[in-house]
């Protein structure tokens, strides 16, 4: 049987796809499996920081539970990945589409996402830091959730 061996860049890019699949499926375990136990997340919603996998797991469970029968369908674009021996960085634009139970788009928002990843001694890459943001108007402070360019 032929097995394709992915290089580290491809593994990180696959993690973006795994993120999208886990969010769409509302699968807290698959979502948090992408992250290191010592994760620090600077999320753009609600809190300045989440520290540790249990805090991040609680956020994910609350987020997914709040969707009811709706789904969130994340799509990445303009993905950039830089990989060294045991550290990698990735950044992209991320569009979240809120979908009804029958797949109709109800809303959408764009943000920016940056990951710092570490390849652990036992092999797998894990996200050790995540930062999400959207630009804010300097005068009004209003956050722009629609990417124009």
């Amino acid at each position: 049987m032929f097995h394709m061996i992915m290089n580290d860049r491809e593994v990180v890019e696959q993690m973006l796809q795994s993120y999208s699949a886990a969010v769409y499926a509302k699968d807290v375990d698959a979502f948090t499996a992408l992250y290191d136990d010592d994760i620090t997340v600077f999320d753009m919603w609600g809190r300045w920081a989440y520290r540790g996998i249990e805090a991040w797991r609680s956020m994910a469970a609350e987020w997914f539970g709040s969707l009811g029968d709706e789904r969130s369908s994340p799509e990445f674009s303009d993905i950039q990945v830089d990989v060294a021996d045991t550290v990698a960085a990735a950044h992209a634009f991320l569009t979240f589409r809120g979908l009804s139970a029958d797949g109709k788009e109800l809303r959408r928002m764009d943000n920016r996402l940056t990951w710092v990843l570490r390849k652990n001694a036992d092999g797998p890459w894990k996200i050790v830091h995540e930062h999400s943001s959207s630009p804010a108007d300097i005068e009004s402070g209003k956050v722009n959730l629609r990417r124009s360019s």
Side-chain angles (χ1 to χ4, degrees), residues 41-114:
V41 178
F42 295 163
D43 193 39
M44 67 181 284
W45 302 108
R47 287 174 60 166
W48 279 97
Y50 292 90
R51 298 192 190 277
I53 196 65
E54 289 310 314
W56 195 230
R57 174 183 287 283
S58 293
M59 181 288 307
E62 185 177 321
W63 172 24
F64 298 161
S66 74
L67 295 173
D69 64 355
E70 295 178 10
R71 296 204 180 264
S72 181
S73 181
E75 298 171 15
F76 291 93
S77 61
D78 294 335
I79 299 166
Q80 300 292 317
V81 177
D82 293 300
V83 179
D85 290 338
T86 60
V87 177
H91 61 88
F93 293 106
L94 179 54
T95 299
F96 288 94
R97 298 181 193 286
L99 306 176
S100 66
D102 62 0
K104 179 182 174 194
E105 185 174 314
L106 303 171
R107 64 194 152 277
R108 105 171 220 213
M109 70 168 209
D110 301 313
N111 69 44
R112 305 173 291 203
L113 182 76
T114 302

Side-chain angles (χ1 to χ4, degrees), residues 15 33-36 116-120 124-128:
M15 290 176 72
L34 298 167
Y35 296 87
D36 190 82
V116 177
L117 304 100
R118 181 175 54 229
K119 190 173 189 178
N120 295 316
W125 285 94
K126 295 286 185 168
I127 304 161
V128 296

Side-chain angles (χ1 to χ4, degrees), residues 131-144:
H131 188 122
S132 63
S133 67
S134 289
D137 180 80
I138 200 156
E139 291 181 16
S140 70
K142 183 178 178 184
V143 175
N144 180 2

Side-chain angles (χ1 to χ4, degrees), residues 5 7 22 61-62 84 129 136:
I5 298 174
N7 66 36
E62 185 177 321
H129 178 66

